[in-house]
Amino acid sequence: MKIFLDTAEVEDIRYFASIGIIDGVTTNPTLIHKAARPFTDILKEICQLVNGSISAEVSATTKEGMLEEAYYLADISPQITIKLPTTMDGLATCKELSNKGIDVNMTLIFNATQALLAAKAGARYVSPFIGRIDDMGACGMDLIASIISIYDNYEYDTQVLVASVRTVNHVAEAAELGADVATIPPAIMHAMIQHPLTDLGIERFAIDWKKTGQNIIPK
Ligand code: G3P
């Protein structure tokens, strides 16, 4: 499973990119607002840091407006994936962009039929927002399973990008289901590596190693 970082904070992206475990980045208007910096500057910096898909979302809602913004954003780098809202205008825009070889990530997916139509419109990715579905008292992960099964039935190339990830279990379940990508906020990335028994084990091994009186690299 590919791991994208779900943030517009360049320092967080720099950190995880330096570890070598990031395959892409997703941004959205809320994340850009939090970062409080010019959108274009942020995108250019991210493209320097990560060698992969960088999702940049349009703000227009009409096909004409979305296309105009999409071409501007796509010009920044071939790494830019255009993020479009899942509406009829979004689908029409997706079809036109994908026909021209520009990657699209259809966002705010909340049911399987939206994902089916996005695939038919040639989307490279669909982003089902599982955390927001869980917030409503339903099961976001059921939607991931459903979309994967539909795409398998008809051999669609569109990749399932699990979004609105709120817990480490979301990540593990996405991987168990065979999702193509999970986009993960930095805090969840940090949580994924944590386990109290790992910390305790490190501590105990350090104590016992000291007792051996040895140095691994002989002095
Ligand atoms: O990738 C979409 C994601 O950023 C939305 O997450 O937590 O606002 O539902 P959230």
Side-chain angles (χ1 to χ4, degrees):
M1 184 172 72
K2 282 179 278 191
I3 289 184
F4 288 4
L5 208 56
D6 195 25
T7 186
E9 298 295 341
V10 170
E11 286 317 309
D12 285 329
I13 295 165
R14 190 189 310 280
Y15 174 73
F16 286 107
S18 75
I19 294 172
I21 50 175
I22 296 304
D23 303 298
V25 173
T26 51
T27 66
N28 64 36
T30 303
L31 296 171
I32 298 298
H33 175 62
K34 276 191 200 153
R37 296 183 49 220
F39 190 21
T40 307
D41 292 357
I42 293 174
L43 292 175
K44 284 181 182 165
E45 285 176 41
I46 297 174
C47 289
Q48 297 292 319
L49 292 171
V50 177
N51 182 18
S53 161
I54 314 297
S55 281
E57 189 157 343
V58 299
S59 70
T61 53
T62 62
K63 180 184 173 190
E64 192 187 29
M66 285 191 253
L67 279 175
E68 196 182 354
E69 292 178 353
Y71 291 131
Y72 170 80
L73 292 168
D75 262 355
I76 293 173
S77 162
Q79 286 175 251
I80 297 290
T81 295
I82 305 299
K83 217 172 176 188
L84 299 174
T86 305
T87 60
M88 281 301 173
D89 275 69
L91 289 178
T93 308
C94 176
K95 187 75 186 171
E96 194 153 328
L97 292 174
S98 60
N99 281 345
K100 292 192 164 132
I102 297 173
D103 283 351
V104 173
N105 174 358
M106 293 301 287
T107 191
L108 292 164
I109 296 264
F110 290 95
N111 69 40
T113 53
Q114 290 176 319
L116 175 61
L117 293 177
K120 290 192 75 73
R124 171 74 64 198
Y125 304 100
V126 285
S127 288
F129 275 33
I130 58 165
R132 294 192 194 183
I133 293 173
D134 288 357
D135 290 345
M136 301 285 290
C139 178
M141 212 47 76
D142 285 352
L143 176 58
I144 301 302
S146 170
I147 297 171
I148 289 173
S149 146
I150 289 168
Y151 285 2
D152 283 351
N153 285 345
Y154 300 103
E155 298 180 357
Y156 286 121
D157 289 335
T158 303
Q159 297 185 29
V160 180
L161 190 165
V162 178
S164 187
V165 164
R166 304 271 175 75
T167 67
V168 295
N169 283 346
H170 277 157
V171 180
E173 287 168 29
E176 275 176 34
L177 287 172
D180 301 284
V181 190
T183 189
I184 305 175
I188 304 296
M189 290 290 292
H190 285 292
M192 283 166 67
I193 199 70
Q194 294 296 326
H195 197 286
L197 290 180
T198 304
D199 296 340
L200 188 62
I202 290 170
E203 211 175 289
R204 285 187 184 160
F205 283 152
I207 290 167
D208 288 341
W209 178 251
K210 206 169 177 189
K211 287 183 198 158
T212 70
Q214 299 182 47
N215 295 305
I216 290 184
I217 302 171
K219 290 196 172 168

